[in-house]
């Protein structure tokens, strides 16, 4: 095993403490998988309102570190509290930066001073290492919220004996949120540097800064790492990403294979494995009953579980559902669970009303029903417009529902056409429908091939242990780079 590394891990979201998307899953699970590889990982996040009320004052078992911190902002120490605890089920330390005027608010994000809030959090996290008497080998910063730490380390930090020589890995989860703010924040952080082309005069862009200043950069799938370098996929930062393209990597997110296991999942009526998949049939019947559909064993039951968002390809889905529900590929059933944009909710409610008894739409968020869908459906659709990694298809494969996906981002890396699922490339209803027809045909006329695909998907390894090994490799490369 390589030498254990000391990793300062900065994520604005960490399950179970705070989550709005995939970032939270990574923040809460990757550190534990890295710890299992022997590394000394310490996580730092802001003490949002839920931390203050549910975990600190409540039953969460966090303790305040005496003395707290003085965070250097504009040359003056601004006080902050530090709470500490462990990531649940592990011995990974987690620290919370407590500054009530900045973080004790109803939402995690969406405020005018977000750029300042996360600049403060980032700088505080670096200062915290001094309080702990712990010098990290590397900073691992996630998304724009932690990018100020990357920038500080690469500029002011190199003139500070306490931090000189510490490199950074910057992970991009969502290029759509870039963290723009006034240039004055550079003065707050004590950083002297030049503007980037991606920054309009007087403004800074923390996502661009993270990309520019990090020792190495990665995103959450190899294919998305390539797509980011192109105009359509780069969200305005493709030029900068191409400038750094030799340092841009892709590492797939993982699934918690203990939590997501059809052999033990308590939310499923019947358990099964890839060797003994028969339990799926009982789950299919339970799902049909829940959705008000006839309990037919040999009719393919297709499904989606998704945010109803522009990203997710719903505008090419309507026509495909119309064809599928009108039996153009033979009898079929369809269930969707999702909430979000009103126009998609209306479209799905209309279709479900029209095709009552064949299709059901649950326009809500329901984690237990999601599991029943993964464990009871035959086909799982993900026609995304773009998808940095995607978790839905990983869960579907783990639970034996064969995915039909658009070959974009992480979907293209994880679903192999005619081996573990069905893929299409062009973003159109015609291409999507073509893939659906192929899937339904195999389901109906070649059950042994169908079952082989199901098994192959269930046997794939998308565990965090695999991802953690990828990050370990990236850390080693970053350290080599810093040593010259
Ligand atoms: P994204 O993070 O872009 O929403 P992912 O595929 O990476 O997409 O992850 C989505 C996760 O959220 C999946 O685990 C999916 O099951 C879950 N999910 C999405 N919508 C719902 C819903 N309405 N009810 C329950 N779970 C949902």
């Amino acid at each position: 095993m390589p030498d254990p590394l000391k990793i300062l891990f900065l994520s604005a979201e960490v399950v179970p403490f705070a989550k709005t998307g995939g970032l939270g899953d990574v923040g809460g699970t990757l550190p534990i998988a890295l710890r299992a590889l022997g590394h000394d990982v310490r996580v730092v996040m802001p003490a949002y309102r839920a931390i203050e009320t549910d975990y600190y004052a409540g039953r969460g078992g966090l303790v305040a570190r005496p003395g707290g911190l003085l965070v250097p902002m504009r040359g003056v120490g601004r006080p902050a509290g530090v709470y500490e605890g462990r990531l649940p089920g592990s011995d990974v330390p987690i620290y919370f930066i407590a500054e009530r005027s900045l973080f004790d608010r109803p939402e995690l994000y969406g405020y005018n001073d977000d750029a300042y809030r996360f600049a403060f959090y980032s700088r505080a996290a670096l200062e915290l290492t001094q309080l702990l008497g712990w010098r990290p080998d590397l900073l691992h910063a996630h998304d724009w919220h932690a990018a100020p730490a990357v920038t500080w380390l690469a500029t002011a930090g190199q003139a500070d004996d306490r931090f000189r020589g510490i490199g950074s890995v910057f992970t991009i989860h969502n290029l759509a949120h870039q963290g723009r703010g006034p240039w004055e924040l550079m003065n707050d952080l004590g950083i002297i540097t030049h503007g980037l082309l991606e920054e309009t005069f007087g403004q800074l862009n923390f996502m661009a800064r993270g990309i520019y200043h990090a020792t190495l950069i990665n995103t959450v799938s190899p294919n998305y790492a390539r797509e980011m370098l192109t105009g359509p996929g780069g969200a305005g930062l493709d030029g900068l990403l191409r400038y750094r393209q030799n340092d841009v990597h892709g590492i797939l997110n993982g699934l918690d294979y203990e939590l997501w296991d059809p052999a033990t999942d308590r939310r499923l009526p019947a358990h099964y494995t890839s060797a003994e998949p028969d339990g799926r049939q009982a789950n299919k019947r339970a799902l049909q009953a829940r959705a008000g559909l006839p309990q037919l064993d040999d009719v393919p039951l297709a499904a989606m579980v998704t945010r109803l968002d522009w990203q997710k390809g719903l505008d090419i889905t309507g026509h495909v559902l119309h064809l599928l529900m009108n039996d153009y590929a033979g009898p079929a059933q369809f269930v969707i669970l999702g909430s979000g944009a009103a126009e998609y909710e209306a479209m799905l409610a209309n279709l479900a009303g029209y095709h009552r008894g064949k299709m059901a739409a649950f326009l809500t968020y329901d984690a237990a029903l999601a599991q029943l869908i993964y464990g009871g459906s035959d086909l799982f659709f993900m026609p995304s417009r773009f998808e940095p990694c995607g978790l839905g298809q990983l869960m579907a494969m783990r639970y034996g529902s064969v995915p039909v996906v658009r070959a974009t981002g992480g979907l293209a890396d994880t679903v192999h056409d005619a081996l573990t699922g069905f893929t299409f490339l062009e973003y159109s209803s015609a291409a999507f429908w073509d893939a659906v027809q192929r899937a339904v045909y195999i389901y109906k006329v070649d059950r042994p091939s169908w079952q082989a695909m199901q098994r192959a998907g269930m046997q794939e390894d998308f565990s965090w242990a695999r991802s953690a090994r990828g990050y370990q490799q990236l850390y080693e490369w970053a350290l080599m780079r810093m040593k010259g």
Side-chain angles (χ1 to χ4, degrees):
M1 196 190 85
D3 287 345
L5 301 174
K6 286 185 272 181
I7 308 293
L8 176 64
F9 193 103
L10 264 57
S11 175
E13 299 183 22
V14 177
V15 287
F17 301 104
K19 170 179 168 175
T20 68
L23 174 63
D25 292 311
V26 178
T29 33
L30 176 58
I32 297 174
L34 287 164
R35 182 80 197 98
L37 294 177
H39 302 296
D40 178 4
V41 189
R42 306 198 183 186
V43 182
V44 188
M45 69 179 285
Y48 303 111
R49 176 161 295 174
I51 312 296
E52 296 279 3
T53 53
D54 301 354
Y55 290 96
Y56 178 55
R59 33 189 205 287
L62 302 183
V63 293
R65 212 173 164 96
L69 277 177
L70 283 177
V71 183
M73 293 299 273
R74 228 170 248 258
V76 184
R78 180 168 176 175
V82 176
Y83 307 146
E84 64 183 310
R86 304 266 177 229
L87 281 180
S90 80
D91 62 352
V92 175
I94 176 163
Y95 304 94
F96 300 87
I97 305 299
E99 212 303 358
R100 291 202 172 131
S101 70
L102 296 178
F103 300 119
D104 186 359
R105 301 185 185 180
E107 305 295 334
L108 269 51
Y109 319 117
Y111 301 99
N112 284 339
D113 60 346
D114 276 359
Y116 180 88
R117 295 168 71 222
F118 289 96
F120 179 83
Y121 149 71
S122 296
R123 187 65 189 84
L126 291 168
E127 210 53 29
L128 173 65
T129 60
Q130 296 299 307
L131 184 70
L132 302 176
W134 180 79
R135 183 186 153 95
D137 296 313
L138 268 183
L139 164 71
H140 187 176
H142 295 264
D143 268 354
W144 77 262
H145 325 94
V150 173
T151 298
W152 190 88
L153 261 189
T155 52
Q158 296 307 305
D160 184 327
D161 286 342
R162 304 170 309 164
F163 294 96
R164 185 177 300 126
I166 301 177
S168 57
V169 168
F170 182 55
T171 301
I172 298 169
H173 299 261
N174 193 341
L175 266 185
H177 301 287
Q178 300 186 355
R180 294 186 181 83
W183 187 262
E184 279 160 49
L185 289 171
M186 288 297 191
N187 301 335
D188 289 327
L189 291 165
I191 293 171
I192 299 172
T193 187
H194 54 84
L196 300 174
L197 272 179
E198 289 70 17
E199 293 168 327
T200 43
F201 187 73
Q203 291 274 307
L204 56 74
N205 177 325
F206 276 131
M207 180 63 93
R209 291 268 148 204
I211 295 166
Y212 185 74
H213 289 293
T215 313
L216 293 177
I217 303 139
N218 82 297
T219 185
V220 292
S221 70
N223 193 43
Y224 191 65
R226 287 187 290 275
E227 290 175 358
M228 280 192 323
L229 306 178
T230 66
L237 301 183
D238 49 294
L240 182 58
L241 283 158
R242 281 197 299 279
Y243 167 67
R244 300 234 36 202
Q245 65 180 316
N246 292 340
D247 299 325
V248 175
H249 299 264
I251 299 177
L252 279 173
N253 283 341
L255 269 189
D256 184 336
Y257 265 35
E258 279 171 31
L259 197 61
W260 310 116
D261 184 354
T264 54
D265 194 327
R266 271 189 260 140
R267 287 165 294 196
L268 292 182
H271 292 147
Y272 57 94
T273 61
S274 61
E276 300 279 340
D278 293 349
R280 291 197 97 256
Q281 205 66 350
N283 294 327
K284 179 170 176 177
R285 286 192 198 127
L287 176 57
Q288 286 164 325
R290 176 85 189 267
L293 308 178
Q295 290 176 307
L296 304 169
D297 289 344
D298 284 323
V299 168
L301 173 52
M304 288 175 79
V305 179
T306 184
R307 288 186 291 120
L308 298 179
D309 182 89
W310 182 83
Q311 175 194 339
K312 299 294 181 181
L314 292 143
D315 39 13
I316 61 170
T317 301
H319 191 198
V320 167
L321 293 184
H322 181 72
L323 296 172
L324 187 68
M325 293 295 90
N326 279 316
D327 294 351
Y328 279 61
Q333 297 175 330
F334 182 75
V335 174
I336 184 163
L337 168 63
S339 61
E343 70 264 31
Y344 301 131
E345 292 198 356
M347 173 187 90
L348 293 165
N350 283 338
L351 276 165
Y354 190 78
H355 295 291
R356 203 176 303 250
K358 296 189 77 173
M359 167 176 168
F362 297 92
L363 303 175
T364 173
Y365 188 95
D366 184 335
L369 178 58
Q371 289 321 106
L372 182 60
I373 292 178
Y374 290 120
S377 62
D378 299 302
L379 286 159
F380 190 82
F381 294 167
M382 265 178 98
S384 303
R385 200 184 279 271
F386 68 94
E387 197 65 75
C389 177
L391 273 184
Q393 84 283 15
L394 303 184
M395 293 197 175
M397 284 190 277
R398 174 82 169 142
Y399 281 71
S401 184
V402 175
V404 179
V405 305
R406 180 158 176 264
T408 183
L411 294 168
D413 284 320
T414 53
V415 179
H416 305 296
D417 192 54
L419 291 175
T420 55
F422 297 86
T423 68
F424 62 97
L425 189 56
E426 187 185 272
Y427 186 75
S428 71
S429 295
F432 183 14
W433 175 240
D434 188 60
V436 170
Q437 277 181 296
R438 284 196 291 133
V440 170
Y441 182 81
I442 301 282
Y443 177 90
K444 287 192 170 152
V445 307
D446 187 356
R447 203 49 72 88
S449 294
W450 179 266
Q451 284 160 346
M453 287 174 78
Q454 249 183 339
R455 260 198 314 278
M458 293 182 79
Q459 287 166 355
E460 289 270 17
D461 177 8
F462 295 115
S463 63
W464 273 112
R466 182 180 190 259
S467 313
R469 286 194 296 276
Y471 279 100
Q472 174 174 278
Q473 176 73 80
L474 209 56
Y475 295 160
E476 282 161 14
W477 286 335
L479 284 172
M480 270 159 47
R481 179 74 61 87
M482 291 309 288
K483 285 185 189 140

